[in-house]
Amino acid sequence: MSLCPWARQPGFTLIELVITVAIVGVLALLATPLMEVTAQRQKETELRLALRQIRTAIDAYHQAVKETRIESPADASGYPPDLESLVAGVPDITKPERPKIYFLRRLPRDPMNPDATLSAAETWGTRSYASPPDTPSAGEDVYDVYSLSDGVGLNGVPYREL
C-alpha cells in the first residue's frame, strides 16, 4: 500500500479521455461526406428505378394498343394520354369479363423533387410523341418521362437526361 495520497488510482486520466474524444470526432468528421454521397447515390438509384417502371408501363400501354386490346383513334399515337391512366386502368375491349387493364399499381414520385405537396404525376416532366427529343414538351400523350430536377448526378449526367 502506497503512503502517497496522490498515487495512481485505477481509471482514465483526463488526457486519455480528451484524446479518445478527439479521435472519435475526427472519425465522425470523415464519415459525414461519405454518408452524404451514400444518400445521394440511393436517391439516384430510386430515380432510375422509378423511370424504368414508368417507361415500362408506357411501353406496355403502347403494346396493348398495337394488339388492339385498348380502344384508340386511328390518328392517335397509341401512347397513354396522361400518367394517371397507367394507374387508373383502361377498358380491355377483348375481354369484357376483365373490365380494365392496369399498367402500374401506383405512380412513383420523382425522388429528386423536394415538394411534398405535389401529386406524383406533377413531379415528372412528360414528353409527347410529337415533341423533339432535344426539347421535350408535353402534349396530347405521354411518350416519355424525365426528372424536373436541375441537379447533376455523381456520374456528371444531369438528372433530366436519365
Side-chain angles (χ1 to χ4, degrees):
M1 187 155 156
S2 174
L3 297 174
C4 296
W6 59 83
R8 180 154 172 84
Q9 299 288 325
F12 297 107
T13 65
L14 180 62
I15 296 294
E16 291 171 332
L17 290 175
V18 167
I19 290 173
T20 303
V21 169
I23 290 172
V24 170
V26 167
L27 289 175
L29 188 67
L30 294 175
T32 301
L34 181 62
M35 290 185 336
E36 290 173 0
V37 168
T38 302
Q40 184 176 358
R41 185 172 291 131
Q42 181 181 3
K43 286 177 83 173
E44 289 178 10
T45 302
E46 289 175 25
L47 174 63
R48 285 186 185 93
L49 178 63
L51 286 169
R52 186 176 308 124
Q53 287 175 345
I54 296 171
R55 288 172 176 162
T56 301
I58 291 170
D59 291 341
Y61 184 101
H62 185 67
Q63 184 64 33
V65 168
K66 281 182 174 179
E67 295 170 354
T68 63
R69 293 180 63 198
I70 298 173
E71 195 170 342
S72 178
D75 61 341
S77 66
Y79 289 97
D82 52 29
L83 292 175
E84 289 88 357
S85 62
L86 298 172
V87 177
V90 291
D92 187 351
I93 59 175
T94 62
K95 296 181 182 174
E97 70 276 1
R98 183 177 165 192
K100 287 189 174 183
I101 304 172
Y102 298 97
F103 299 97
L104 285 174
R105 289 186 180 164
R106 69 173 183 81
L107 186 63
R109 294 183 60 81
D110 181 354
M112 299 302 173
N113 193 317
D115 191 355
T117 62
L118 297 175
S119 69
E122 293 173 325
T123 62
W124 297 105
T126 59
R127 174 182 164 217
S128 73
Y129 184 73
S131 73
D134 53 344
T135 55
S137 61
E140 296 178 2
D141 57 10
V142 178
Y143 175 71
D144 196 13
V145 292
Y146 58 91
S147 177
L148 294 174
S149 174
D150 292 327
V152 177
L154 294 172
N155 60 357
V157 177
Y159 295 135
R160 286 181 175 253
E161 295 179 12
L162 291 179

